[in-house]
Amino acid sequence: MMAATWDARQVDGAVVGQGAPWRATLGSVAVLVIGVCLVAAVASVVTQYHGGDGRRRLQIRWLLAAGSVVVLLLVGGWGAEAHGASLEMAYTPFLLALVLLVPASVGIAMVRHDLFDVDRLLSVSMSWLVTLVASAAIFAAVVTIVSRAVGAGAGLGPAAAAFVTALALLPLHRILAGALGKMLDRDRCVALAAVEQFAADVRAGRRLPEEVEVVLQEAQGDPGLRIALARPDGWSDLRGVPVEEPVGFALEAGGDTIGMVTLGWESARARRRLADLVRVAWVPIEVSRLRLVLREALAEVEASRVRLVDAAATERKRLERDLHDGAQQRIIATGMRLRSLQQRLDSRAAAEVDTAIGELEVTVSELRRLAHGVRPSRLDDGLGPALEGLLETSPVPVDLHVAVLPEADEARTLTAYLVASEAVTNALKHACARRIGVQLGAQGDRLTVRVSDDGVGGIPDGGLTALRDRVASVGGSLQVDSPVGGGTTISAVV
């Protein structure tokens, strides 16, 4: 276009001096090429806008608007020139938009939408500049005051001014940096304040430390931000779900890496801001890690306790069968052989054998009692039938109600039986009860046992320690309601 219009000039609104005809052709081609380039440039920006993420769209939005205005003004200039407008009138708006709007849109993308870290640079530079000016003002003011007080030739003014300025320099810079940061780098100050408030809420118990990831995402303006916690066997998120080894900003405590923060949007400004935010959020992140470790340790203890209880229940069952089917049967068989031998003895020897057989019968009774205490064999028929057999021998009426029971392992079934048995025994021995009620039911997948009587009550708070420990061994809970003179109700969930 410059070559085509090299000798041209405008005289009274008409373009003259274009010379050879090829210049006009070249000018037309130039206009077409310029138009194609502008359309291609706009199409490129539009393509990046539609294909980019949220942050990229924010960066391009203002540039897209400015570029559209520039193109429209250029097209309008062409139209104005075609209708006889002067070159100044036709293209001055286009040139102003090109010079002012495009840089302004890029500046907005830089300052507001993380294109470059200009806001931080501007904030730091301005804070030191204002600090320098304020320090010079303090120095001059102190010199003037001291000189007037002690005399202009004393030489004390500069020394006193230097001393006062040195004392005020760092506090003054800290105050000015905070004030200017709120004006020039407001996003960073607001983000830091939000994270500081969250950390304070965590310390006060008003919020959970596991919310730190969401808080950092909002403060950073990055929904893709993720926190990974270091574990002895790898990495996990805040919920304890294993994740692959991350790459990002490392969090350290005592020289050990305790976590890693990964950004969804990477830039120098984002990394610097994240470093500031993480310093504030370090305590909630570490508390989250410790809570996760504690929960897993408690879960492992609970699993270990369950395994021990199951092993104990299995051992009880084996011991009960050994007593019933082993020693007890052999003693009975020995007694029968002695009876058979007794018939062939004289009266004196027969009396001795009779005494021995009596001792064997006592031993068998003792073994049956021990076997029943370890694990009653009637539990093989189910919890309901086992309690029916137990309550048949009660000297006072017992109302037994058995609802539909959930599936339960050996440990829980035995615990429920022993709770009901011991509660009924206590009511018979100590409560002077005239009637006892036993109810078996379900609470979700748990067994419930409720034993009530109309006795004297008065069980002290914290009583029935052995019964509480038995229920707690299978992860259950026990409640005792025993007002004096109002009977006793024992409720257990196992």
Side-chain angles (χ1 to χ4, degrees):
M1 178 62 73
M2 291 177 62
T5 59
W6 185 257
D7 295 329
R9 61 188 183 277
Q10 193 174 39
V11 178
D12 296 331
V15 178
V16 297
Q18 286 186 341
W22 62 269
R23 292 181 179 270
T25 304
L26 182 61
S28 301
V29 173
V31 170
L32 178 61
V33 171
I34 291 174
V36 171
C37 290
L38 287 173
V39 172
V42 173
S44 172
V45 176
V46 171
T47 301
Q48 291 189 50
Y49 180 83
H50 286 292
D53 55 16
R55 183 66 60 87
R56 176 63 68 186
R57 291 187 177 188
L58 288 175
Q59 292 176 345
I60 293 177
R61 183 175 297 168
W62 290 97
L63 179 61
L64 185 62
S68 301
V69 172
V70 169
V71 172
L72 291 176
L73 289 176
L74 178 59
V75 174
W78 291 344
E81 182 185 7
H83 286 79
S86 65
L87 294 177
E88 292 84 356
M89 183 66 68
Y91 295 109
T92 295
F94 159 72
L95 294 175
L96 289 176
L98 189 65
V99 172
L100 298 178
L101 288 183
V102 174
S105 66
V106 175
I108 292 174
M110 291 164 60
V111 175
R112 299 297 299 172
H113 304 306
D114 201 19
L115 186 59
F116 300 108
D117 202 3
V118 176
D119 46 359
R120 181 185 177 89
L121 178 63
L122 183 62
S123 172
V124 172
S125 301
M126 287 297 297
S127 63
W128 277 113
L129 178 61
V130 175
T131 301
L132 179 62
V133 174
S135 300
I138 293 174
F139 186 89
V142 174
V143 168
T144 302
I145 294 172
V146 174
S147 298
R148 291 184 178 180
V150 300
L156 185 61
F163 179 74
V164 173
T165 304
L167 288 179
L169 181 62
L170 290 180
L172 180 64
H173 174 67
R174 185 164 53 248
I175 295 172
L176 291 174
L180 290 173
K182 292 180 180 179
M183 291 187 295
L184 301 177
D185 196 4
R186 181 172 177 79
D187 285 349
R188 175 175 170 272
C189 292
V190 170
L192 281 174
V195 178
E196 287 173 350
Q197 181 61 48
F198 168 72
D201 290 341
V202 170
R203 288 193 294 271
R206 292 188 292 267
R207 299 186 67 176
L208 296 176
E210 288 78 10
E211 300 177 38
V212 63
E213 185 174 82
V214 175
V215 172
L216 286 180
Q217 288 174 351
E218 295 175 352
Q220 186 75 3
D222 184 0
L225 183 147
R226 294 291 182 269
I227 297 176
L229 302 177
R231 312 298 305 282
D233 55 348
W235 296 83
S236 72
D237 61 12
L238 294 174
R239 298 180 299 277
V241 179
V243 297
E244 296 182 358
E245 183 174 357
V247 177
F249 188 89
L251 305 174
E252 295 185 352
D256 297 328
T257 300
I258 64 171
M260 193 80 71
V261 182
T262 303
L263 288 169
W265 174 265
E266 282 280 354
S267 70
R269 179 173 184 263
R271 288 190 292 271
R272 281 192 288 269
R273 174 179 287 190
L274 179 64
D276 294 336
L277 296 178
V278 167
R279 278 194 293 269
V280 179
W282 180 87
V283 171
I285 293 174
E286 174 65 352
V287 171
S288 298
R289 186 180 73 89
L290 295 177
R291 280 164 57 98
L292 179 60
V293 171
L294 180 60
R295 284 197 299 270
E296 292 186 348
L298 291 176
E300 178 59 30
V301 170
E302 177 68 15
S304 176
R305 181 194 59 76
V306 170
R307 289 193 296 269
L308 290 174
V309 170
D310 289 342
T314 302
E315 184 63 19
R316 280 174 175 266
K317 189 173 184 179
R318 185 193 64 78
L319 183 58
E320 181 267 331
R321 288 179 178 175
D322 287 347
L323 289 175
H324 183 273
D325 300 333
Q328 180 178 325
Q329 296 301 326
R330 286 195 295 271
I331 292 174
I332 292 175
T334 301
M336 295 175 65
R337 292 177 65 183
L338 289 175
R339 286 292 185 192
S340 177
L341 181 62
Q342 185 182 28
Q343 298 175 1
R344 298 193 295 270
L345 298 176
D346 56 34
S347 58
R348 182 177 177 181
E352 290 294 332
V353 172
D354 195 60
T355 301
I357 293 174
E359 291 294 331
L360 289 177
E361 291 176 348
V362 172
T363 302
V364 170
S365 299
E366 183 67 16
L367 284 176
R368 286 174 176 171
R369 186 185 65 81
L370 289 174
H372 189 273
V374 172
R375 181 193 177 275
S377 58
R378 58 177 62 136
L379 275 177
D380 294 338
D381 298 327
L383 184 56
L387 286 178
E388 289 178 359
L390 170 68
L391 301 178
E392 287 176 355
T393 60
S394 173
V396 301
V398 178
D399 300 321
L400 175 64
H401 177 71
V402 180
V404 178
L405 302 179
E407 293 290 333
D409 54 26
E410 179 69 22
R412 291 199 301 159
T413 301
L414 177 60
T415 300
Y417 175 85
L418 294 177
V419 167
S421 174
E422 188 171 339
V424 171
T425 300
N426 288 338
L428 294 175
K429 287 184 178 180
H430 309 295
C432 301
R434 296 183 299 273
R435 197 168 194 88
I436 301 173
V438 178
Q439 296 180 347
L440 294 178
Q443 188 180 90
D445 60 348
R446 297 188 173 192
L447 285 171
T448 61
V449 182
R450 187 173 185 270
V451 180
S452 58
D453 63 67
D454 57 359
V456 298
I459 297 178
D461 293 339
L464 304 178
T465 304
L467 203 57
R468 292 181 186 276
D469 292 344
R470 187 186 299 278
V471 174
S473 69
V474 292
S477 61
L478 182 76
Q479 292 183 349
V480 179
D481 182 17
S482 184
V484 177
T488 299
T489 300
I490 297 175
S491 303
V493 180
V494 297

